[in-house]
Amino acid sequence: MDSQTSQPSPASPSPHTFQVDLRGLVDLLSHHLYSSPKVYLRELLQNAVDAITARRAEQPDAPATVRLHAEGGTLRVEDSGVGLTESDVHSLLATIGRSSKRNDGLESARSDFLGQFGIGLLACFVVAERIRVVSLSARTPDAAPVEWTAADDGSYTVRTLPREACTEPGTTVHLVARAGAGEWLSPERVRSLARDFGALLPYDVRVGDEAVADLPAPWDRPHPSPSARRVALARHCRELFGFTPLDSIDLDVPLAGVRGVAYVLPTAVSPAQRASHRVHLKGMLLTERAEQLLPDWAFFVRCVLDTDSLRPTASRESLYEDETLAAVREALGERIRSWLTGLAAGDPERLAAFLSVHHLGVKSLARHDAEMLRTMLPWLPFETTDGRLSLEEFAQRHPLVHFTRTVEEYRQVAPIASAQGVGVVNGGYTYDSELIEALPAVRPGTAVSELDADTVTAHLDTVDPAEELALSGFLAAARARLDPLNCDVVLRAFHPLSVPALHLDDRAARHEQARAEAEEQADDLWAGILGSLRGSAPRARLVLNHLNPLIRRIGSLGDPDLIGTATESLYGQALLMSQRPLRPADSALLNRAFIGLLEWATHTDPGTDGRR
């Protein structure tokens, strides 16, 4: 026999039971799982509604009432639900993590319930130091009423009560506020929270004698006309979100069990700002901060809706990201897209009012949706050398659509290009260059070309060779002065005559400038590395306008230093006109040129009366 098989097998370790520190768990709930103590009331309402749902599954005609009574730091919540027996109390209320929805064959019907995680009454310890539950089972008519009393130190007691202590099936929960939490159980706070959480609940829920539910939901109420409905929904939006919407969009996705409305914001918002929406689950408010409900491009609306298909997270304060939520998000996005298409087809005035505020959101959608881009072409505004136009109108005027990728490039070339009859679109704003490049795909026959310094220079008239030769000395002195700035000097003739000089560069030229500046400031090692990256990118250009009288006068100067100072002044003025940021070297040049011109203007020759 193998010696290893003769050894006795080790004894199996005996299992141990987790010990739960209830106070520590309550602290975890209040500071990490739940965003606010107010969720305790949602848990109470949820338990009551689920109990009624369970009873009605077996007794369809059973009463469906929930009553809340707050007074003196205590709260009593009564429901006409299925109730509990003594064994139910031990197995459900006193066992953390167990859900009543897992028992009695109800697992298959859990979609009918709000609660999914079995936390239940534990959340009430966030505001209460003691919880007492009195319940009578509707399933076991001969069972005695049972009382369960628990304290926040983890202890509890269970006892049966005389039959007369509870004559009707259902459950009553009594809370006693913990120190410092009495305000959460005040009548005003309970009433406010109950209205907020339970406004769409399908059962008779009351705080004292005041009904909580406000049914039917605002989007399901009948109205005498579409305009009356818009007014009513606008009033609802003001009450809920605090703004008057530009319009409202019905969100009806029957296959996903979603009904609600999206309100269009009256002011522009940043695409980076995450929109928060209100989501009700089977009538109970789940969250006011559902951020992943709509596609990112739909940041211009705020939604409120009710659903019976989306899954909540453990805290029941947000939505679980799964395939169902992804499908609902796509369906809701399609509803908003259809609304935009409908406006374009039948209500251009409302569409124009909407786009004047939210064109950025529509552009975000159109860059990924060719059909939406095609639909919105006559409406989306762009900055162009012909004014603020749609791409459709601009393309009708200019079969070749030039565009720049940055606002700075557009500002450099727009005045000159316009005077030369070259149409240019500013593609420097968010999404614009992407949409311009997509134009040929949705509008066949349109050509799109990025405008660079070479293209602009090619559209400017050349100067007669004899005249340029006569100015060769002037041009040589001007080029020598700007060479350290990596800028060439070119002589052209162009309109408008009032522009003496034009500064042109592109991203490649600016990149080469930045590399050269870094190389000058680097140590030997980095200078060598940056030097190896030297590219053949074209340098920036200062284009002098031969038609401008000032340029003609400067061209007649014979003093190289004065020519250099004048050239630096023209360079600085052209930079300022392009509205691009100035480098430290550019600022120093402007100061130097200004001082140089002052010195020249105030210089006097000996033997004169002080006049030059």
PDB file of all heavy atoms in Angstrom, residues 293-328:
ATOM      1  N   LEU A 293     -29.538  57.885 -19.151  1.00  0.00           N
ATOM      2  CA  LEU A 293     -30.827  57.523 -19.736  1.00  0.00           C
ATOM      3  C   LEU A 293     -30.905  57.846 -21.219  1.00  0.00           C
ATOM      4  O   LEU A 293     -31.547  57.122 -21.985  1.00  0.00           O
ATOM      5  CB  LEU A 293     -31.943  58.258 -18.983  1.00  0.00           C
ATOM      6  CG  LEU A 293     -33.375  57.913 -19.367  1.00  0.00           C
ATOM      7  CD1 LEU A 293     -33.689  56.464 -19.031  1.00  0.00           C
ATOM      8  CD2 LEU A 293     -34.346  58.837 -18.650  1.00  0.00           C
ATOM      9  N   LEU A 294     -30.269  58.928 -21.658  1.00  0.00           N
ATOM     10  CA  LEU A 294     -30.338  59.374 -23.046  1.00  0.00           C
ATOM     11  C   LEU A 294     -28.953  59.339 -23.680  1.00  0.00           C
ATOM     12  O   LEU A 294     -27.938  59.337 -22.987  1.00  0.00           O
ATOM     13  CB  LEU A 294     -30.891  60.799 -23.126  1.00  0.00           C
ATOM     14  CG  LEU A 294     -32.343  61.018 -22.696  1.00  0.00           C
ATOM     15  CD1 LEU A 294     -32.707  62.485 -22.858  1.00  0.00           C
ATOM     16  CD2 LEU A 294     -33.295  60.152 -23.490  1.00  0.00           C
ATOM     17  N   PRO A 295     -28.893  59.340 -25.015  1.00  0.00           N
ATOM     18  CA  PRO A 295     -27.583  59.450 -25.681  1.00  0.00           C
ATOM     19  C   PRO A 295     -26.893  60.750 -25.294  1.00  0.00           C
ATOM     20  O   PRO A 295     -27.545  61.747 -24.950  1.00  0.00           O
ATOM     21  CB  PRO A 295     -27.947  59.435 -27.174  1.00  0.00           C
ATOM     22  CG  PRO A 295     -29.307  58.823 -27.256  1.00  0.00           C
ATOM     23  CD  PRO A 295     -30.005  59.182 -25.976  1.00  0.00           C
ATOM     24  N   ASP A 296     -25.570  60.773 -25.374  1.00  0.00           N
ATOM     25  CA  ASP A 296     -24.814  61.959 -24.965  1.00  0.00           C
ATOM     26  C   ASP A 296     -25.199  63.193 -25.769  1.00  0.00           C
ATOM     27  O   ASP A 296     -25.158  64.311 -25.248  1.00  0.00           O
ATOM     28  CB  ASP A 296     -23.305  61.692 -25.117  1.00  0.00           C
ATOM     29  CG  ASP A 296     -22.790  60.697 -24.098  1.00  0.00           C
ATOM     30  OD1 ASP A 296     -23.474  60.496 -23.074  1.00  0.00           O
ATOM     31  OD2 ASP A 296     -21.717  60.114 -24.323  1.00  0.00           O
ATOM     32  N   TRP A 297     -25.592  63.006 -27.032  1.00  0.00           N
ATOM     33  CA  TRP A 297     -25.884  64.175 -27.862  1.00  0.00           C
ATOM     34  C   TRP A 297     -27.171  64.885 -27.437  1.00  0.00           C
ATOM     35  O   TRP A 297     -27.396  66.038 -27.811  1.00  0.00           O
ATOM     36  CB  TRP A 297     -25.971  63.785 -29.342  1.00  0.00           C
ATOM     37  CG  TRP A 297     -26.964  62.704 -29.661  1.00  0.00           C
ATOM     38  CD1 TRP A 297     -26.684  61.383 -29.863  1.00  0.00           C
ATOM     39  CD2 TRP A 297     -28.390  62.830 -29.832  1.00  0.00           C
ATOM     40  NE1 TRP A 297     -27.835  60.684 -30.145  1.00  0.00           N
ATOM     41  CE2 TRP A 297     -28.900  61.548 -30.136  1.00  0.00           C
ATOM     42  CE3 TRP A 297     -29.280  63.902 -29.759  1.00  0.00           C
ATOM     43  CZ2 TRP A 297     -30.252  61.314 -30.365  1.00  0.00           C
ATOM     44  CZ3 TRP A 297     -30.625  63.671 -29.978  1.00  0.00           C
ATOM     45  CH2 TRP A 297     -31.096  62.391 -30.283  1.00  0.00           C
ATOM     46  N   ALA A 298     -28.022  64.203 -26.667  1.00  0.00           N
ATOM     47  CA  ALA A 298     -29.319  64.792 -26.279  1.00  0.00           C
ATOM     48  C   ALA A 298     -29.202  65.570 -24.975  1.00  0.00           C
ATOM     49  O   ALA A 298     -30.075  65.493 -24.114  1.00  0.00           O
ATOM     50  CB  ALA A 298     -30.365  63.694 -26.164  1.00  0.00           C
ATOM     51  N   PHE A 299     -28.129  66.360 -24.840  1.00  0.00           N
ATOM     52  CA  PHE A 299     -27.916  67.091 -23.590  1.00  0.00           C
ATOM     53  C   PHE A 299     -28.819  68.309 -23.463  1.00  0.00           C
ATOM     54  O   PHE A 299     -28.781  69.005 -22.458  1.00  0.00           O
ATOM     55  CB  PHE A 299     -26.452  67.525 -23.474  1.00  0.00           C
ATOM     56  CG  PHE A 299     -25.943  68.319 -24.639  1.00  0.00           C
ATOM     57  CD1 PHE A 299     -26.192  69.671 -24.735  1.00  0.00           C
ATOM     58  CD2 PHE A 299     -25.213  67.713 -25.646  1.00  0.00           C
ATOM     59  CE1 PHE A 299     -25.721  70.406 -25.807  1.00  0.00           C
ATOM     60  CE2 PHE A 299     -24.746  68.434 -26.730  1.00  0.00           C
ATOM     61  CZ  PHE A 299     -24.998  69.786 -26.812  1.00  0.00           C
ATOM     62  N   PHE A 300     -29.643  68.578 -24.470  1.00  0.00           N
ATOM     63  CA  PHE A 300     -30.492  69.770 -24.456  1.00  0.00           C
ATOM     64  C   PHE A 300     -31.890  69.488 -23.920  1.00  0.00           C
ATOM     65  O   PHE A 300     -32.767  70.347 -24.011  1.00  0.00           O
ATOM     66  CB  PHE A 300     -30.591  70.366 -25.865  1.00  0.00           C
ATOM     67  CG  PHE A 300     -30.962  69.366 -26.937  1.00  0.00           C
ATOM     68  CD1 PHE A 300     -32.281  69.032 -27.168  1.00  0.00           C
ATOM     69  CD2 PHE A 300     -29.979  68.765 -27.706  1.00  0.00           C
ATOM     70  CE1 PHE A 300     -32.629  68.116 -28.135  1.00  0.00           C
ATOM     71  CE2 PHE A 300     -30.314  67.847 -28.682  1.00  0.00           C
ATOM     72  CZ  PHE A 300     -31.644  67.525 -28.898  1.00  0.00           C
ATOM     73  N   VAL A 301     -32.141  68.313 -23.365  1.00  0.00           N
ATOM     74  CA  VAL A 301     -33.453  68.005 -22.798  1.00  0.00           C
ATOM     75  C   VAL A 301     -33.304  67.472 -21.377  1.00  0.00           C
ATOM     76  O   VAL A 301     -32.254  66.964 -20.996  1.00  0.00           O
ATOM     77  CB  VAL A 301     -34.234  66.967 -23.649  1.00  0.00           C
ATOM     78  CG1 VAL A 301     -34.493  67.497 -25.047  1.00  0.00           C
ATOM     79  CG2 VAL A 301     -33.506  65.641 -23.694  1.00  0.00           C
ATOM     80  N   ARG A 302     -34.377  67.599 -20.596  1.00  0.00           N
ATOM     81  CA  ARG A 302     -34.491  66.978 -19.281  1.00  0.00           C
ATOM     82  C   ARG A 302     -35.750  66.118 -19.302  1.00  0.00           C
ATOM     83  O   ARG A 302     -36.811  66.580 -19.722  1.00  0.00           O
ATOM     84  CB  ARG A 302     -34.592  68.043 -18.178  1.00  0.00           C
ATOM     85  CG  ARG A 302     -33.346  68.899 -18.048  1.00  0.00           C
ATOM     86  CD  ARG A 302     -32.166  68.098 -17.520  1.00  0.00           C
ATOM     87  NE  ARG A 302     -30.989  68.942 -17.400  1.00  0.00           N
ATOM     88  CZ  ARG A 302     -30.077  69.097 -18.353  1.00  0.00           C
ATOM     89  NH1 ARG A 302     -30.230  68.472 -19.503  1.00  0.00           N
ATOM     90  NH2 ARG A 302     -29.028  69.856 -18.176  1.00  0.00           N
ATOM     91  N   CYS A 303     -35.628  64.896 -18.817  1.00  0.00           N
ATOM     92  CA  CYS A 303     -36.716  63.926 -18.931  1.00  0.00           C
ATOM     93  C   CYS A 303     -37.315  63.575 -17.582  1.00  0.00           C
ATOM     94  O   CYS A 303     -36.637  63.602 -16.555  1.00  0.00           O
ATOM     95  CB  CYS A 303     -36.209  62.629 -19.572  1.00  0.00           C
ATOM     96  SG  CYS A 303     -35.665  62.812 -21.251  1.00  0.00           S
ATOM     97  N   VAL A 304     -38.588  63.206 -17.625  1.00  0.00           N
ATOM     98  CA  VAL A 304     -39.239  62.557 -16.497  1.00  0.00           C
ATOM     99  C   VAL A 304     -40.072  61.435 -17.098  1.00  0.00           C
ATOM    100  O   VAL A 304     -40.824  61.635 -18.060  1.00  0.00           O
ATOM    101  CB  VAL A 304     -40.107  63.543 -15.685  1.00  0.00           C
ATOM    102  CG1 VAL A 304     -41.098  64.290 -16.568  1.00  0.00           C
ATOM    103  CG2 VAL A 304     -40.840  62.809 -14.570  1.00  0.00           C
ATOM    104  N   LEU A 305     -39.928  60.227 -16.561  1.00  0.00           N
ATOM    105  CA  LEU A 305     -40.638  59.090 -17.138  1.00  0.00           C
ATOM    106  C   LEU A 305     -40.872  58.024 -16.091  1.00  0.00           C
ATOM    107  O   LEU A 305     -40.264  58.013 -15.015  1.00  0.00           O
ATOM    108  CB  LEU A 305     -39.873  58.525 -18.338  1.00  0.00           C
ATOM    109  CG  LEU A 305     -38.417  58.086 -18.154  1.00  0.00           C
ATOM    110  CD1 LEU A 305     -38.332  56.680 -17.569  1.00  0.00           C
ATOM    111  CD2 LEU A 305     -37.680  58.116 -19.489  1.00  0.00           C
ATOM    112  N   ASP A 306     -41.763  57.101 -16.449  1.00  0.00           N
ATOM    113  CA  ASP A 306     -42.077  55.944 -15.614  1.00  0.00           C
ATOM    114  C   ASP A 306     -41.778  54.698 -16.424  1.00  0.00           C
ATOM    115  O   ASP A 306     -42.060  54.647 -17.630  1.00  0.00           O
ATOM    116  CB  ASP A 306     -43.553  55.974 -15.201  1.00  0.00           C
ATOM    117  CG  ASP A 306     -43.881  54.922 -14.148  1.00  0.00           C
ATOM    118  OD1 ASP A 306     -42.953  54.501 -13.425  1.00  0.00           O
ATOM    119  OD2 ASP A 306     -45.050  54.514 -14.056  1.00  0.00           O
ATOM    120  N   THR A 307     -41.192  53.706 -15.788  1.00  0.00           N
ATOM    121  CA  THR A 307     -40.814  52.481 -16.480  1.00  0.00           C
ATOM    122  C   THR A 307     -41.100  51.278 -15.611  1.00  0.00           C
ATOM    123  O   THR A 307     -41.132  51.380 -14.377  1.00  0.00           O
ATOM    124  CB  THR A 307     -39.318  52.496 -16.854  1.00  0.00           C
ATOM    125  OG1 THR A 307     -38.955  51.233 -17.447  1.00  0.00           O
ATOM    126  CG2 THR A 307     -38.450  52.700 -15.627  1.00  0.00           C
ATOM    127  N   ASP A 308     -41.324  50.143 -16.238  1.00  0.00           N
ATOM    128  CA  ASP A 308     -41.454  48.906 -15.467  1.00  0.00           C
ATOM    129  C   ASP A 308     -40.444  47.858 -15.913  1.00  0.00           C
ATOM    130  O   ASP A 308     -40.553  46.685 -15.535  1.00  0.00           O
ATOM    131  CB  ASP A 308     -42.879  48.337 -15.583  1.00  0.00           C
ATOM    132  CG  ASP A 308     -43.274  48.060 -17.025  1.00  0.00           C
ATOM    133  OD1 ASP A 308     -42.400  47.986 -17.900  1.00  0.00           O
ATOM    134  OD2 ASP A 308     -44.496  47.914 -17.271  1.00  0.00           O
ATOM    135  N   SER A 309     -39.447  48.268 -16.728  1.00  0.00           N
ATOM    136  CA  SER A 309     -38.495  47.293 -17.257  1.00  0.00           C
ATOM    137  C   SER A 309     -37.053  47.549 -16.845  1.00  0.00           C
ATOM    138  O   SER A 309     -36.245  46.618 -16.837  1.00  0.00           O
ATOM    139  CB  SER A 309     -38.572  47.278 -18.793  1.00  0.00           C
ATOM    140  OG  SER A 309     -38.177  48.532 -19.324  1.00  0.00           O
ATOM    141  N   LEU A 310     -36.695  48.766 -16.509  1.00  0.00           N
ATOM    142  CA  LEU A 310     -35.309  49.069 -16.176  1.00  0.00           C
ATOM    143  C   LEU A 310     -34.969  48.589 -14.776  1.00  0.00           C
ATOM    144  O   LEU A 310     -35.809  48.615 -13.878  1.00  0.00           O
ATOM    145  CB  LEU A 310     -35.056  50.570 -16.297  1.00  0.00           C
ATOM    146  CG  LEU A 310     -35.268  51.151 -17.693  1.00  0.00           C
ATOM    147  CD1 LEU A 310     -35.014  52.656 -17.679  1.00  0.00           C
ATOM    148  CD2 LEU A 310     -34.364  50.480 -18.712  1.00  0.00           C
ATOM    149  N   ARG A 311     -33.727  48.161 -14.600  1.00  0.00           N
ATOM    150  CA  ARG A 311     -33.287  47.625 -13.314  1.00  0.00           C
ATOM    151  C   ARG A 311     -32.595  48.696 -12.482  1.00  0.00           C
ATOM    152  O   ARG A 311     -31.742  49.430 -12.998  1.00  0.00           O
ATOM    153  CB  ARG A 311     -32.305  46.474 -13.532  1.00  0.00           C
ATOM    154  CG  ARG A 311     -32.902  45.227 -14.146  1.00  0.00           C
ATOM    155  CD  ARG A 311     -31.807  44.229 -14.472  1.00  0.00           C
ATOM    156  NE  ARG A 311     -31.007  43.911 -13.285  1.00  0.00           N
ATOM    157  CZ  ARG A 311     -29.817  43.302 -13.339  1.00  0.00           C
ATOM    158  NH1 ARG A 311     -29.292  43.001 -14.509  1.00  0.00           N
ATOM    159  NH2 ARG A 311     -29.163  43.041 -12.223  1.00  0.00           N
ATOM    160  N   PRO A 312     -32.935  48.785 -11.196  1.00  0.00           N
ATOM    161  CA  PRO A 312     -32.218  49.718 -10.320  1.00  0.00           C
ATOM    162  C   PRO A 312     -30.948  49.082  -9.760  1.00  0.00           C
ATOM    163  O   PRO A 312     -30.816  47.846  -9.718  1.00  0.00           O
ATOM    164  CB  PRO A 312     -33.231  49.977  -9.205  1.00  0.00           C
ATOM    165  CG  PRO A 312     -34.007  48.695  -9.115  1.00  0.00           C
ATOM    166  CD  PRO A 312     -34.072  48.137 -10.516  1.00  0.00           C
ATOM    167  N   THR A 313     -30.018  49.914  -9.321  1.00  0.00           N
ATOM    168  CA  THR A 313     -28.845  49.413  -8.626  1.00  0.00           C
ATOM    169  C   THR A 313     -29.228  49.063  -7.184  1.00  0.00           C
ATOM    170  O   THR A 313     -30.377  49.223  -6.775  1.00  0.00           O
ATOM    171  CB  THR A 313     -27.729  50.469  -8.618  1.00  0.00           C
ATOM    172  OG1 THR A 313     -28.229  51.666  -8.003  1.00  0.00           O
ATOM    173  CG2 THR A 313     -27.290  50.793 -10.042  1.00  0.00           C
ATOM    174  N   ALA A 314     -28.261  48.610  -6.404  1.00  0.00           N
ATOM    175  CA  ALA A 314     -28.549  48.156  -5.039  1.00  0.00           C
ATOM    176  C   ALA A 314     -29.152  49.257  -4.180  1.00  0.00           C
ATOM    177  O   ALA A 314     -30.032  49.010  -3.357  1.00  0.00           O
ATOM    178  CB  ALA A 314     -27.268  47.630  -4.389  1.00  0.00           C
ATOM    179  N   SER A 315     -28.705  50.495  -4.383  1.00  0.00           N
ATOM    180  CA  SER A 315     -29.235  51.596  -3.586  1.00  0.00           C
ATOM    181  C   SER A 315     -30.591  52.074  -4.102  1.00  0.00           C
ATOM    182  O   SER A 315     -31.248  52.883  -3.459  1.00  0.00           O
ATOM    183  CB  SER A 315     -28.255  52.769  -3.599  1.00  0.00           C
ATOM    184  OG  SER A 315     -28.157  53.314  -4.906  1.00  0.00           O
ATOM    185  N   ARG A 316     -30.985  51.581  -5.266  1.00  0.00           N
ATOM    186  CA  ARG A 316     -32.225  52.012  -5.926  1.00  0.00           C
ATOM    187  C   ARG A 316     -32.257  53.533  -6.114  1.00  0.00           C
ATOM    188  O   ARG A 316     -33.300  54.168  -6.009  1.00  0.00           O
ATOM    189  CB  ARG A 316     -33.458  51.530  -5.152  1.00  0.00           C
ATOM    190  CG  ARG A 316     -33.654  50.026  -5.254  1.00  0.00           C
ATOM    191  CD  ARG A 316     -34.968  49.597  -4.656  1.00  0.00           C
ATOM    192  NE  ARG A 316     -35.003  49.628  -3.228  1.00  0.00           N
ATOM    193  CZ  ARG A 316     -34.456  48.708  -2.430  1.00  0.00           C
ATOM    194  NH1 ARG A 316     -33.821  47.691  -2.949  1.00  0.00           N
ATOM    195  NH2 ARG A 316     -34.553  48.806  -1.134  1.00  0.00           N
ATOM    196  N   GLU A 317     -31.074  54.092  -6.400  1.00  0.00           N
ATOM    197  CA  GLU A 317     -30.988  55.526  -6.665  1.00  0.00           C
ATOM    198  C   GLU A 317     -30.383  55.805  -8.039  1.00  0.00           C
ATOM    199  O   GLU A 317     -30.137  56.955  -8.381  1.00  0.00           O
ATOM    200  CB  GLU A 317     -30.159  56.209  -5.585  1.00  0.00           C
ATOM    201  CG  GLU A 317     -30.824  56.196  -4.229  1.00  0.00           C
ATOM    202  CD  GLU A 317     -30.087  57.036  -3.209  1.00  0.00           C
ATOM    203  OE1 GLU A 317     -29.098  56.541  -2.643  1.00  0.00           O
ATOM    204  OE2 GLU A 317     -30.500  58.175  -2.984  1.00  0.00           O
ATOM    205  N   SER A 318     -30.145  54.781  -8.819  1.00  0.00           N
ATOM    206  CA  SER A 318     -29.662  54.948 -10.190  1.00  0.00           C
ATOM    207  C   SER A 318     -30.023  53.697 -10.975  1.00  0.00           C
ATOM    208  O   SER A 318     -30.560  52.727 -10.412  1.00  0.00           O
ATOM    209  CB  SER A 318     -28.143  55.196 -10.220  1.00  0.00           C
ATOM    210  OG  SER A 318     -27.449  54.116  -9.615  1.00  0.00           O
ATOM    211  N   LEU A 319     -29.726  53.719 -12.269  1.00  0.00           N
ATOM    212  CA  LEU A 319     -30.109  52.628 -13.149  1.00  0.00           C
ATOM    213  C   LEU A 319     -28.927  51.708 -13.411  1.00  0.00           C
ATOM    214  O   LEU A 319     -27.781  52.149 -13.547  1.00  0.00           O
ATOM    215  CB  LEU A 319     -30.634  53.178 -14.477  1.00  0.00           C
ATOM    216  CG  LEU A 319     -31.905  54.030 -14.387  1.00  0.00           C
ATOM    217  CD1 LEU A 319     -32.201  54.678 -15.724  1.00  0.00           C
ATOM    218  CD2 LEU A 319     -33.086  53.165 -13.939  1.00  0.00           C
ATOM    219  N   TYR A 320     -29.225  50.436 -13.510  1.00  0.00           N
ATOM    220  CA  TYR A 320     -28.206  49.427 -13.784  1.00  0.00           C
ATOM    221  C   TYR A 320     -27.919  49.408 -15.285  1.00  0.00           C
ATOM    222  O   TYR A 320     -28.837  49.309 -16.097  1.00  0.00           O
ATOM    223  CB  TYR A 320     -28.694  48.060 -13.314  1.00  0.00           C
ATOM    224  CG  TYR A 320     -27.663  46.967 -13.372  1.00  0.00           C
ATOM    225  CD1 TYR A 320     -26.718  46.827 -12.372  1.00  0.00           C
ATOM    226  CD2 TYR A 320     -27.635  46.073 -14.440  1.00  0.00           C
ATOM    227  CE1 TYR A 320     -25.769  45.824 -12.418  1.00  0.00           C
ATOM    228  CE2 TYR A 320     -26.694  45.061 -14.503  1.00  0.00           C
ATOM    229  CZ  TYR A 320     -25.753  44.944 -13.495  1.00  0.00           C
ATOM    230  OH  TYR A 320     -24.810  43.956 -13.560  1.00  0.00           O
ATOM    231  N   GLU A 321     -26.652  49.525 -15.632  1.00  0.00           N
ATOM    232  CA  GLU A 321     -26.266  49.560 -17.049  1.00  0.00           C
ATOM    233  C   GLU A 321     -26.283  48.140 -17.608  1.00  0.00           C
ATOM    234  O   GLU A 321     -25.436  47.322 -17.287  1.00  0.00           O
ATOM    235  CB  GLU A 321     -24.869  50.172 -17.198  1.00  0.00           C
ATOM    236  CG  GLU A 321     -24.433  50.363 -18.635  1.00  0.00           C
ATOM    237  CD  GLU A 321     -25.233  51.419 -19.369  1.00  0.00           C
ATOM    238  OE1 GLU A 321     -25.366  52.537 -18.847  1.00  0.00           O
ATOM    239  OE2 GLU A 321     -25.736  51.113 -20.474  1.00  0.00           O
ATOM    240  N   ASP A 322     -27.268  47.839 -18.438  1.00  0.00           N
ATOM    241  CA  ASP A 322     -27.369  46.528 -19.062  1.00  0.00           C
ATOM    242  C   ASP A 322     -27.941  46.689 -20.467  1.00  0.00           C
ATOM    243  O   ASP A 322     -28.115  47.794 -20.976  1.00  0.00           O
ATOM    244  CB  ASP A 322     -28.225  45.580 -18.211  1.00  0.00           C
ATOM    245  CG  ASP A 322     -29.632  46.124 -17.961  1.00  0.00           C
ATOM    246  OD1 ASP A 322     -30.003  47.134 -18.598  1.00  0.00           O
ATOM    247  OD2 ASP A 322     -30.360  45.540 -17.140  1.00  0.00           O
ATOM    248  N   GLU A 323     -28.242  45.567 -21.119  1.00  0.00           N
ATOM    249  CA  GLU A 323     -28.744  45.611 -22.491  1.00  0.00           C
ATOM    250  C   GLU A 323     -30.097  46.307 -22.576  1.00  0.00           C
ATOM    251  O   GLU A 323     -30.400  46.988 -23.567  1.00  0.00           O
ATOM    252  CB  GLU A 323     -28.839  44.195 -23.059  1.00  0.00           C
ATOM    253  CG  GLU A 323     -27.482  43.512 -23.245  1.00  0.00           C
ATOM    254  CD  GLU A 323     -27.626  42.115 -23.820  1.00  0.00           C
ATOM    255  OE1 GLU A 323     -28.789  41.674 -24.009  1.00  0.00           O
ATOM    256  OE2 GLU A 323     -26.594  41.477 -24.085  1.00  0.00           O
ATOM    257  N   THR A 324     -30.917  46.138 -21.538  1.00  0.00           N
ATOM    258  CA  THR A 324     -32.237  46.784 -21.551  1.00  0.00           C
ATOM    259  C   THR A 324     -32.097  48.292 -21.527  1.00  0.00           C
ATOM    260  O   THR A 324     -32.762  49.008 -22.295  1.00  0.00           O
ATOM    261  CB  THR A 324     -33.074  46.318 -20.346  1.00  0.00           C
ATOM    262  OG1 THR A 324     -33.214  44.901 -20.386  1.00  0.00           O
ATOM    263  CG2 THR A 324     -34.454  46.955 -20.378  1.00  0.00           C
ATOM    264  N   LEU A 325     -31.239  48.804 -20.662  1.00  0.00           N
ATOM    265  CA  LEU A 325     -31.036  50.245 -20.604  1.00  0.00           C
ATOM    266  C   LEU A 325     -30.457  50.764 -21.920  1.00  0.00           C
ATOM    267  O   LEU A 325     -30.849  51.830 -22.406  1.00  0.00           O
ATOM    268  CB  LEU A 325     -30.106  50.608 -19.445  1.00  0.00           C
ATOM    269  CG  LEU A 325     -29.777  52.100 -19.279  1.00  0.00           C
ATOM    270  CD1 LEU A 325     -31.043  52.928 -19.129  1.00  0.00           C
ATOM    271  CD2 LEU A 325     -28.847  52.317 -18.090  1.00  0.00           C
ATOM    272  N   ALA A 326     -29.539  50.020 -22.521  1.00  0.00           N
ATOM    273  CA  ALA A 326     -28.969  50.440 -23.806  1.00  0.00           C
ATOM    274  C   ALA A 326     -30.055  50.517 -24.882  1.00  0.00           C
ATOM    275  O   ALA A 326     -30.078  51.453 -25.689  1.00  0.00           O
ATOM    276  CB  ALA A 326     -27.867  49.476 -24.227  1.00  0.00           C
ATOM    277  N   ALA A 327     -30.968  49.539 -24.882  1.00  0.00           N
ATOM    278  CA  ALA A 327     -32.046  49.540 -25.868  1.00  0.00           C
ATOM    279  C   ALA A 327     -33.010  50.703 -25.628  1.00  0.00           C
ATOM    280  O   ALA A 327     -33.476  51.352 -26.577  1.00  0.00           O
ATOM    281  CB  ALA A 327     -32.795  48.211 -25.818  1.00  0.00           C
ATOM    282  N   VAL A 328     -33.320  50.967 -24.359  1.00  0.00           N
ATOM    283  CA  VAL A 328     -34.205  52.095 -24.032  1.00  0.00           C
ATOM    284  C   VAL A 328     -33.541  53.404 -24.422  1.00  0.00           C
ATOM    285  O   VAL A 328     -34.191  54.312 -24.977  1.00  0.00           O
ATOM    286  CB  VAL A 328     -34.550  52.079 -22.531  1.00  0.00           C
ATOM    287  CG1 VAL A 328     -35.206  53.393 -22.111  1.00  0.00           C
ATOM    288  CG2 VAL A 328     -35.480  50.913 -22.219  1.00  0.00           C
TER     289      VAL A 328
END
